[in-house]
Amino acid sequence: MKVVIQRVSEANVVIEGNKVAEIDNGLLILLGIVNEDTQEDIDWLCKKVLNLRIFPDENGVMNMSLIDFGGDIIVVSQFTLHASTKKGNRPSYIKAAKPDVAIPLYEQFVKSLQSEVGKPIQTGEFGADMKVHLINDGPVTIIIDSKNRD
């Protein structure tokens, strides 16, 4: 399971001209899933994401987690995070989990975040053609792969 986390001052997701998710200060999380991912990956990744100290404290130092800061979250499925570009110029997405595996893991990831944060987590729509708009605050962008825990 791989995430790209962006600290945002605002973000939204639009599908077919309709805004389906919108937040102010918080995190936009792009989530990529592979067949080998499990609940253990979800648990580890949720804990890591929610406890990253990437929000400013009263002195402007990145010393607060999302939970400390009270920010919101949008999670967007992104199979292209697992693109392989080793051969040729057309990325291969063979590592990305198919929907029958990815959708339940995606939904569980969102539920796990929600239970820890204690408020609704906004999402895009799995498999949809989405337009993601954001203002990256900082900019702060962090990539985490649950398979690289060491």
Side-chain angles (χ1 to χ4, degrees):
M1 198 166 276
K2 187 181 292 186
V3 293
V4 173
I5 301 163
Q6 296 183 317
R7 188 180 79 187
V8 298
S9 56
E10 62 183 71
N12 66 64
V13 178
V14 176
I15 301 172
E16 296 180 2
N18 298 313
K19 196 176 291 184
V20 298
E22 183 173 29
I23 63 169
D24 287 323
N25 296 304
L27 297 176
L28 171 67
I29 301 173
L30 304 175
L31 174 66
I33 298 168
V34 294
N35 286 322
E36 298 77 25
D37 288 328
T38 66
Q39 184 65 46
E40 183 180 334
D41 294 287
I42 291 170
D43 295 343
W44 182 85
L45 203 50
C46 284
K47 182 177 179 181
K48 181 62 88 173
V49 167
L50 294 176
N51 290 293
L52 280 176
R53 296 180 354 184
I54 59 173
F55 288 90
D57 64 15
E58 62 278 353
N59 297 315
V61 177
M62 286 198 296
N63 203 26
M64 296 178 74
S65 69
L66 178 93
I67 293 173
D68 298 331
F69 184 75
D72 293 319
I73 300 173
I74 295 177
V75 178
V76 174
S77 63
Q78 181 106 30
F79 73 93
T80 61
L81 292 180
H82 291 289
S84 173
T85 57
K86 289 183 180 180
K87 291 184 178 180
N89 294 316
R90 179 173 295 179
S92 168
Y93 305 108
I94 196 80
K95 292 181 183 178
K98 301 288 185 240
D100 61 319
V101 171
I103 290 172
L105 291 170
Y106 169 78
E107 290 172 349
Q108 186 56 47
F109 180 78
V110 172
K111 285 180 188 174
S112 294
L113 285 175
Q114 188 166 312
S115 70
E116 293 295 322
V117 175
K119 59 182 175 180
I121 303 299
Q122 297 195 47
T123 65
E125 182 181 315
F126 192 94
D129 181 14
M130 296 175 271
K131 308 301 180 211
V132 179
H133 305 265
L134 67 125
I135 297 178
N136 191 321
D137 183 22
V140 175
T141 301
I142 297 174
I143 301 169
I144 304 173
D145 188 330
S146 67
K147 303 302 187 225
N148 294 330
R149 297 181 202 180
D150 299 332

